Amino acid sequence: MKNEMSKEMSLRSLFDKLWDNHVVVNETRETPAILYIDLHLVHEVTSPQAFSVLADRNLNVRRPDLTIATLDHSTPTSPPKPNGELAYATPQAKRQVDRLIKNCAHHKIRLLGLGDPRRGIVHVIGPELGLTQPGKTIVCGDSHTSTHGAFGALAFGIGTTEVGHVLATQCVLQRKPKSMRVTFDGVLPAGVTAKDMALFMIAEIGASGGQGYAIEFAGDAVRALSMDGRMTLCNMSIEAGARFGMIAPDQTTIDYLQNREQAPQGAAWERAVRSWRTLPSDDGAVFDKEIEIDASKIRPMITYGVSPDAAAAVDAAPPPAGSHAERLALEYMEIAPERPFSATEVDRVFIGSCTNSRLSDLREAADIMRGRKVKVGVVALIVPGSVAIKRKAEAEGLDKIFIAAGAEWREPGCSMCIAMNGDQGAPGELVVSTSNRNFVGRQGKGVRTVLASPATAAASAIEGRIADPRNYYSNKMEQADVA
Amino acid sequence: MSLEPIQKLISRTIVLRQENIDTDQIIPARFLTTTTRKGLGTSVFFDWRYNAEGRLRNDSPLDGFNPAEYKILVAGSNFGCGSSREHAPWALADFGFRAIISSDIADIFKSNALKNGLLPLEVDDKTHRRLLASPGEEISVDLVSQTVRFGEEGWQTVFRVDPFARRCMLDGVDPLGHLINQLAVIEKYEEDRRGF
């Protein structure tokens, strides 16, 4: 009995292994653990006050070599003016961008800034450059940092004070959260994507169902996802309240990383791959909570309320409001309960964000828009996640498909996901958005946000109302997200 | 930055009953282009408090009070969900709040609040319901005994708070100072890892 107990204790999950490898000082009842950070990603919005703390206390950035910065949140996505100037939303937005440029120069931090072909949304470029790797701890002053967990990394969002802690010491104070495994068994139906898996799970467990947990996503349907799909799924962990979401590394992860600019090369690559192979959860590892979802039952999902857990299948209707809050949410959304979603008219469509702006997302949207027109009166904005993705999409001619359909093809950035760079909807407008949050006013004051996959967003742009992407799928689409 | 130590807080409450109040409601993204921590208080819950012309409507539960007497915000469950913006606790603290009470407060917000002298207090559902139902109630928060007390009936309950954060607040311990004191251990960790 005793032996069995200790055997069970020694079986560790992916999360346990990542955690154990980075503990500098163990957690006690009195103090949190000191956790070492391998990669610190920095952007313009959540860093200026952290750099000010360093200046006030006369501290340096301890490991600029483990820190990398980019510009994405306040950065314009419209083309530069004829004189080369960028169209900032406000002078203050420009000051914030200038401040990061100055802070990075002063502290010798690599900045993938304006004009850099590697610039992009912070959670897009880390993986794209091969900086995001299995086994690493990764933080950023941004709640969607869990995106990087798709590679089998321990990645989580932190506040600005903690950004200062990491800049100064390369460590954070953190208590170990509980563990949860969400297993998606079965095969996703055609036209159903990682985004639909994420929304389905959030509807199942609720917007705070993952609070206090680190989630590992597992199961055949997760293994079958491309890295882009895995990033979409891990990205949305925080919408269920979980700061950490992760997927064990496998051959898909390794194939993605091989020969990336910042990935290890030669003998170092072989060593890295060997160590990555030891990371998956041991058979029999115990989780504090287990959730099982049958992937074959998931349909394209949309949100109908003002919290990401108010999600349902696109071919259904919103359930009757059960509470006062749900009634208010439906009123705000101007969505009538029990009336099919397809009756809801769309004003604007946004395809982009750290959730869904990668090449496979753009291909998914382009496959639907090819040879079709965006409904008259609907504004469709396509915002690639990085300069590299933009160029690759253009090399494939995706930009031409979008422009021919009547959509706008923009420069990379966070854009309408957070709506702080001037890209936003007008009061009362309904936006079908591939981003991650449908909060009241998130995409502009009075704007109504419906979250969806790129396929659903593209179909909705064509029809001018919430639309089911499965109507557009021919047989060839079955391979879209399974590569 | 060391915080002003706090042991006891006696104040009236402002109540926002809504569940899932996200940090976009607390401080909309368009105010995040600031490069300082100060001055966000006037914009806290901006879209709940101001009309389309940007004038204070004065019909929100947050307005029409002397902030010096109302330092405690009681809110619906899952308060502070969404974006990790520390601007949310900065704005609430700048507005005058020293404590937030809910049944359940989002992780990142809780962590951020504790670093800014804003106490996030999680109480049991029964106490939470009772507090939601009585805006303006004077309540007493004691961080030493971890208790909240209020009402003529002498309602008393224990709240949950991280022991380290509690010590930081009680004694003015600075978390960054705590980390800097461990730099030798951090360097040792780096050396050990280089070796393998």
Side-chain angles (χ1 to χ4, degrees):
Chain A
M1 185 67 193
K2 202 174 176 188
N3 272 343
E4 266 178 38
M5 281 279 284
S6 65
K7 192 179 162 201
E8 200 165 279
M9 301 271 288
S10 67
L11 295 173
R12 295 187 301 161
S13 66
L14 163 67
F15 171 59
D16 293 328
K17 295 177 193 184
L18 294 170
W19 180 270
D20 293 348
N21 287 348
H22 292 89
V23 171
V24 176
V25 175
N26 274 309
E27 175 174 347
T28 65
R29 207 195 77 82
E30 289 305 317
T31 49
I34 295 181
L35 208 60
Y36 194 79
I37 300 304
D38 297 321
L39 175 63
H40 185 193
L41 301 163
V42 175
H43 65 80
E44 71 271 30
V45 176
T46 56
S47 65
Q49 297 86 350
F51 282 109
S52 300
V53 169
L54 295 197
D56 292 347
R57 296 174 66 146
N58 207 12
L59 294 165
N60 286 320
V61 174
R62 192 160 169 273
R63 295 294 301 266
D65 56 321
L66 300 181
T67 313
I68 192 155
T70 193
L71 295 163
D72 53 7
H73 282 67
S74 299
T75 315
T77 62
S78 43
K81 297 178 202 166
N83 63 5
E85 272 178 30
L86 288 176
Y88 284 96
T90 59
Q92 205 173 16
K94 181 175 188 309
R95 274 202 296 279
Q96 194 173 53
V97 165
D98 290 343
R99 179 66 72 90
L100 184 63
I101 295 170
K102 208 172 121 202
N103 282 330
C104 287
H106 178 73
H107 290 285
K108 302 194 168 47
I109 292 170
R110 284 173 295 170
L111 171 67
L112 308 179
L114 303 168
D116 193 306
R118 297 165 302 174
R119 188 184 71 80
I121 302 175
V122 66
H123 307 311
V124 172
I125 62 165
E128 196 168 73
L129 291 168
L131 280 165
T132 299
Q133 293 164 18
K136 279 190 178 181
T137 42
I138 302 173
V139 295
C140 175
D142 191 290
S143 62
H144 292 109
T145 308
S146 57
T147 309
H148 308 264
F151 290 78
L154 187 65
F156 55 106
I158 56 177
T160 295
T161 298
E162 289 173 314
V163 169
H165 293 178
V166 181
L167 290 173
T169 68
Q170 205 56 31
C171 288
V172 287
L173 290 160
Q174 178 68 40
R175 288 194 184 273
K176 190 177 179 184
K178 290 179 283 185
S179 61
M180 183 192 294
R181 179 163 57 189
V182 178
T183 306
F184 289 91
D185 280 322
V187 178
L188 275 187
V192 181
T193 68
K195 181 62 163 286
D196 304 306
M197 292 165 74
L199 289 172
F200 188 93
M201 177 208 58
I202 297 162
E204 282 280 302
I205 71 172
S208 63
Q211 203 176 128
Y213 287 95
I215 300 180
E216 178 177 345
F217 297 103
D220 291 345
V222 172
R223 294 261 78 86
L225 290 174
S226 66
M227 287 316 296
D228 285 3
R230 293 180 189 189
M231 285 188 258
T232 300
L233 183 57
C234 289
N235 172 278
M236 297 283 285
S237 306
I238 187 67
E239 305 330 323
R243 280 173 89 174
F244 310 78
M246 66 199 77
I247 295 170
D250 59 9
Q251 196 57 44
T252 305
T253 323
I254 292 164
D255 291 344
Y256 177 99
L257 285 171
Q258 191 157 26
N259 299 322
R260 298 254 165 196
E261 183 190 304
Q262 301 289 323
Q265 309 291 335
W269 168 257
E270 298 301 329
R271 266 201 312 280
V273 169
R274 270 199 302 281
S275 87
W276 296 345
R277 295 239 186 243
T278 67
L279 290 171
S281 294
D282 300 330
D283 285 339
V286 177
F287 293 79
D288 295 308
K289 196 169 183 180
E290 295 260 16
I291 307 275
E292 279 168 28
I293 293 171
D294 180 353
S296 69
K297 298 279 194 306
I298 302 177
R299 293 180 279 168
M301 299 286 290
I302 55 149
T303 60
Y304 55 84
V306 295
S307 172
D309 56 356
V314 70
D315 56 350
S323 68
H324 180 62
E326 284 170 14
R327 230 175 351 263
L328 286 178
L330 286 178
E331 269 175 42
Y332 178 82
M333 291 301 296
E334 295 175 38
I335 288 180
E338 297 176 80
R339 193 162 154 245
F341 290 122
S342 57
T344 299
E345 289 188 6
V346 170
D347 300 299
R348 202 175 280 260
V349 167
F350 169 60
I351 296 173
S353 86
C354 60
T355 313
N356 278 127
S357 65
R358 298 181 181 84
L359 193 58
S360 59
D361 299 317
L362 301 182
R363 286 177 183 155
E364 185 182 309
D367 276 335
I368 287 179
M369 288 198 173
R370 182 178 289 114
R372 298 192 171 93
K373 290 276 182 204
V374 171
K375 183 88 172 178
V376 174
V378 174
V379 176
L381 216 62
I382 322 278
V383 186
S386 69
V387 176
I389 288 171
K390 182 167 189 270
R391 288 183 180 171
K392 280 185 194 157
E394 287 170 352
E396 289 182 16
L398 302 187
D399 58 324
K400 293 197 179 63
I401 295 172
F402 294 130
I403 292 165
E408 292 181 35
W409 177 243
R410 291 292 189 92
E411 298 298 316
C414 299
S415 184
M416 271 191 74
C417 173
I418 187 164
M420 63 179 291
N421 74 332
D423 298 346
Q424 59 182 8
E429 280 189 346
L430 187 126
V431 182
V432 177
S433 176
T434 67
S435 56
N436 38 58
R437 289 185 174 137
N438 54 348
F439 301 152
V440 170
R442 168 89 177 179
Q443 298 193 295
K445 199 171 172 177
V447 171
R448 302 173 289 143
T449 300
V450 169
L451 301 177
S453 71
T456 304
S460 302
I462 301 299
E463 298 188 26
R465 56 191 179 81
I466 293 176
D468 189 335
R470 289 173 298 184
N471 300 333
Y472 294 78
Y473 279 66
S474 56
N475 294 334
K476 79 173 181 66
M477 289 293 291
E478 290 204 39
Q479 64 211 17
D481 211 50
V482 193
Chain B
M1 184 187 60
S2 61
L3 300 167
E4 184 191 328
I6 177 171
Q7 288 189 356
K8 203 163 186 175
L9 176 65
I10 298 171
S11 178
R12 293 187 183 281
T13 63
I14 286 176
V15 172
L16 298 173
R17 298 181 55 89
Q18 291 89 331
E19 292 174 7
N20 300 326
I21 294 178
D22 58 78
T23 53
D24 275 86
Q25 306 311 310
I26 300 170
I27 185 82
R30 60 187 184 277
F31 297 105
L32 305 190
T33 50
T34 179
T35 51
T36 72
R37 292 168 189 250
K38 298 207 172 7
L40 287 166
T42 51
S43 310
V44 77
F45 286 102
F46 192 92
D47 293 341
W48 295 21
R49 295 169 57 222
Y50 293 82
N51 65 17
E53 288 76 47
R55 272 196 299 276
L56 197 62
R57 296 201 314 252
N58 264 322
D59 59 356
S60 142
L62 291 149
D63 292 306
F65 300 104
N66 175 7
E69 290 173 31
Y70 292 80
K71 294 179 180 171
I72 299 173
L73 176 64
V74 177
S77 68
N78 199 25
F79 182 81
C81 59
S83 153
S84 61
R85 60 190 68 167
E86 200 162 315
H87 309 68
W90 293 338
L92 289 164
D94 193 50
F95 186 77
F97 289 120
R98 296 302 305 273
I100 311 288
I101 302 181
S102 182
S103 54
D104 156 25
I105 300 176
D107 285 343
I108 305 181
F109 178 87
K110 204 156 50 189
S111 162
N112 286 339
L114 286 165
K115 294 177 179 74
N116 290 282
L118 183 66
L119 265 175
L121 308 178
E122 291 177 316
V123 296
D124 60 272
D125 288 343
K126 211 171 141 199
T127 305
H128 187 224
R129 278 197 300 275
R130 167 73 173 72
L131 286 172
L132 285 174
S134 53
E137 175 119 41
E138 183 171 277
I139 69 175
S140 162
V141 175
D142 188 335
L143 189 54
V144 178
S145 60
Q146 282 181 237
T147 50
V148 172
R149 263 176 297 159
F150 56 88
E152 286 172 4
E153 73 271 39
W155 194 296
Q156 181 166 336
T157 189
V158 172
F159 59 80
R160 303 187 293 276
V161 64
D162 178 74
F164 180 72
R166 177 172 168 272
R167 190 154 64 88
C168 291
M169 295 263 224
L170 280 177
D171 305 338
V173 171
D174 159 43
L176 178 53
H178 175 82
L179 280 169
I180 288 171
N181 286 339
Q182 300 293 323
L183 274 178
V185 186
I186 295 169
E187 278 164 20
K188 172 82 170 47
Y189 172 89
E190 286 174 329
E191 272 168 36
D192 290 351
R193 282 225 311 188
R194 252 197 298 275
F196 90 100

